[in-house]
């Protein structure tokens, strides 16, 4: 693929010069484009409706595995990238053009709304979000202010740019769940043990719930901005929820995730809920109010479906490291997951976590084509 232009003006030129045919395989196969994103295979699968093929997209599909992403992000900080609508739009579109995935996901970061809420933080390369003054007191919680559209107007603008460019390809909005955001704010950055987080949960439950309630408000407002601007679905990432027991999840986390997801019940778009290491939490996560529950690679999709119940679709769940194996191994795993996904009332093919930076983009493109081929062929055979 030719090198992409860089710089704001050039990015805008790249977007403007694109054709409107960004629907990947669906458009190339001549499927009807009259009904828009709401009738796309991705949205239909989320709603547990019939689909022409199993839809596929990848968490972190817009990112470090793509050379065009690395070029366009050169010398631009992560938070700055997330605040430039033209750059966000170009980065979001890159994997749609390259891979022919069934959905785009907005390029952003889970701490963007927290920064907009007044938290002093930075995203440090190789480390992740780092908070200057971790939350320890009620006064710290009160400094996390509520946000509205004006605080994240760049997100609103980016979504509107993308909806216009994507045509019938759905755009997924996203946000971090209250627990994961709270863990960053309490720990001051990423943590393997979440020791300070759990210490607050157990020792200062009122403070903990006050923090999560405020973060639920921020998260809901952030997702509302994206929905109002035109996204076709939203995903709530609770990346660190797997650090908890089911009892602790139900007591300290579930009420706040429910507040976010139920707050979008009238939004008219599918809601996806995803966490890592959540095998024992899948049933509880389904209760939080999502239409689709994401499953990491540790739990087979047919097993996950029994735990989640028959009224939720599932998303997942190829181990990201399998993509480094020889193609016959990858193909066998893809076929296995597509087959196991048939146990669910709806299945969106994805990885069990995000694309790793060292992944060969050509392998991702081949996986998309294989998922489409395998699922369509089986449907045609009845």
């Amino acid at each position: 693929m030719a090198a992409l232009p860089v710089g704001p003006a050039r990015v805008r030129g790249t977007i403007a010069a694109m054709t409107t045919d960004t629907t990947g395989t669906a458009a190339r196969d001549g499927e009807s484009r009259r009904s828009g994103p709401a009738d796309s295979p991705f949205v239909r699968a989320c709603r547990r409706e019939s689909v022409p093929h199993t839809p596929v997209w990848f968490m972190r599909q817009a990112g470090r595995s793509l050379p065009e992403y690395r070029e366009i992000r050169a010398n631009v900080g992560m938070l700055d990238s997330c605040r430039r609508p033209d750059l966000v739009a170009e980065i979001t579109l890159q994997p749609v053009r390259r891979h022919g995935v069934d959905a785009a996901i907005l390029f952003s970061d889970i701490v963007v709304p927290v920064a907009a809420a007044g938290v002093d933080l930075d995203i440090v390369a190789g480390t992740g979000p780092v908070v200057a003054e971790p939350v320890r007191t009620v006064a710290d919680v009160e400094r996390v202010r509520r946000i509205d559209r004006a605080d994240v107007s760049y997100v609103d603008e980016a979504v509107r740019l993308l909806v216009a460019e994507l045509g019938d390809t759905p755009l997924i909005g996203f946000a971090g769940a209250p627990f994961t955001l709270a863990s960053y704010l309490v720990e001051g950055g990423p943590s393997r043990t979440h020791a300070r987080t759990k210490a607050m949960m157990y020792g200062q439950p009122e403070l903990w719930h006050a923090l999560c309630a405020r973060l639920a408000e921020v998260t809901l407002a952030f997702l509302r901005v994206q929905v109002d601007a035109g996204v076709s679905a939203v995903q709530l990432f609770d990346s660190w929820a797997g650090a908890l027991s089911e009892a602790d999840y139900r007591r300290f986390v579930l009420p706040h995730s429910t507040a976010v997801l139920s707050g979008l019940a009238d939004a008219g778009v599918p809601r996806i809920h995803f966490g890592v290491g959540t095998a024992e939490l899948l049933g509880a996560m389904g209760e939080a109010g999502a239409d689709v529950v994401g499953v990491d690679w540790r739990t087979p999709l047919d097993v996950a479906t029994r735990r989640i119940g028959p009224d939720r679709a599932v998303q997942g769940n190829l181990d990201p490291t399998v993509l480094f194996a020889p193609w016959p191994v990858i193909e066998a795993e893809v076929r296995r997951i597509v087959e196991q996904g048939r146990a669910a009332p709806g299945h969106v093919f994805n990885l069990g976590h995000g694309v790793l930076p060292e992944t060969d983009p050509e392998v991702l493109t081949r996986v998309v084509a294989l998922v489409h081929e395998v699922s369509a062929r089986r449907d045609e055979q009845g």
Side-chain angles (χ1 to χ4, degrees):
M1 183 172 182
L4 291 173
V6 294
R10 287 173 145 183
V11 170
R12 284 192 291 270
T14 301
I15 295 171
M18 286 176 54
T19 69
T20 57
D21 183 9
T22 56
T23 56
T25 300
R28 290 194 299 270
D29 289 346
E31 294 176 8
S32 172
R33 306 186 68 223
R34 293 176 295 177
S35 299
D39 198 44
S40 64
F42 167 75
V43 173
R44 291 183 64 85
C46 290
R47 298 193 185 283
R48 308 186 305 281
E49 298 172 354
S50 63
V51 292
H53 60 259
T54 299
V56 52
W57 68 279
F58 305 108
M59 288 179 282
R60 294 183 185 160
Q61 65 187 18
R64 295 169 292 174
S65 67
L66 300 182
E68 56 265 41
Y69 168 82
R70 292 193 294 269
E71 180 177 352
I72 206 169
R73 272 289 318 280
N75 303 315
V76 183
M78 182 63 182
L79 277 176
D80 188 25
S81 299
C82 296
R83 292 166 175 158
R84 290 169 51 177
D86 52 356
L87 198 57
V88 169
E90 169 59 22
I91 292 171
T92 301
L93 291 166
Q94 286 176 349
V96 180
R97 293 197 296 259
R98 179 185 273 266
H99 302 312
V101 287
D102 292 283
I105 184 164
L106 180 71
F107 174 75
S108 188
D109 191 274
I110 64 171
V111 298
V112 165
V114 178
V119 176
D120 184 3
L121 60 83
D122 191 17
I123 302 175
V124 179
T127 300
V130 176
V131 178
E133 297 182 22
V135 171
R136 299 284 184 267
T137 66
V138 172
D140 294 333
V141 173
E142 292 174 348
R143 284 200 295 270
V144 182
R145 62 180 179 81
R146 296 172 177 84
I147 66 170
D148 57 25
R149 190 189 67 79
D151 294 307
V152 287
S153 59
Y154 44 86
V155 173
D156 176 85
E157 183 180 346
V159 170
R160 294 179 189 278
L161 280 172
L162 282 161
V163 170
E165 291 288 348
L166 284 165
D168 287 353
T169 299
L171 174 65
I172 305 168
F174 82 92
F179 171 78
T180 292
L181 293 177
S183 181
Y184 278 120
L185 267 58
V186 173
E187 301 287 344
S191 171
R192 292 184 179 273
T193 63
H194 307 280
R196 289 184 178 274
T197 301
K198 293 183 178 182
M200 182 182 290
M201 282 169 38
Y202 300 139
Q204 298 174 281
E206 292 185 1
L207 178 60
W208 171 261
H209 284 296
L211 173 60
C212 286
R214 175 56 55 86
L215 291 172
E217 291 178 317
V218 171
T219 297
L220 179 56
F222 187 58
L223 289 173
R224 274 285 180 185
V225 168
Q226 296 173 59
V227 170
D228 291 345
V231 298
S232 298
V234 295
Q235 176 156 311
L236 188 66
F237 282 87
D238 212 350
S239 305
W240 306 132
L244 302 174
S245 68
E246 182 182 357
D248 285 346
Y249 178 86
R250 289 185 177 278
R251 179 182 175 189
F252 295 111
V253 177
L254 182 57
H256 305 292
S257 294
T258 300
V260 176
L261 292 167
S262 64
L264 294 169
D266 64 346
V269 301
R271 298 155 293 173
I272 309 169
H273 197 13
F274 173 75
V276 182
T278 56
E280 299 304 317
L281 307 180
L282 290 172
M285 291 181 71
E287 294 172 22
D291 304 288
V292 185
V293 177
V295 183
D296 77 6
W297 66 93
R298 298 170 179 87
T299 308
L301 291 180
D302 50 352
V303 174
T305 295
R306 291 196 294 271
R307 296 179 181 180
I308 296 165
D311 56 348
R312 302 282 188 273
V314 297
Q315 179 175 279
N317 67 341
L318 183 69
D319 186 332
T321 63
V322 168
L323 297 173
F324 299 104
W327 177 252
V329 176
I330 299 171
E331 180 176 0
E333 285 296 287
V334 168
R335 289 176 179 273
R336 176 184 64 82
I337 289 166
V338 170
E339 182 61 30
Q340 290 177 342
R342 295 181 184 280
H347 176 213
V348 176
F349 190 98
N350 207 309
L351 303 183
H353 201 192
V355 175
L356 295 171
E358 302 84 6
T359 305
D360 181 351
E362 295 303 318
V363 172
L364 291 172
T365 303
R366 292 184 71 182
V367 168
V368 173
L370 178 62
V371 172
H372 288 172
E373 175 192 352
V374 171
S375 56
R377 181 190 304 134
R378 176 69 175 270
D379 290 341
E380 289 167 4
Q381 292 174 348

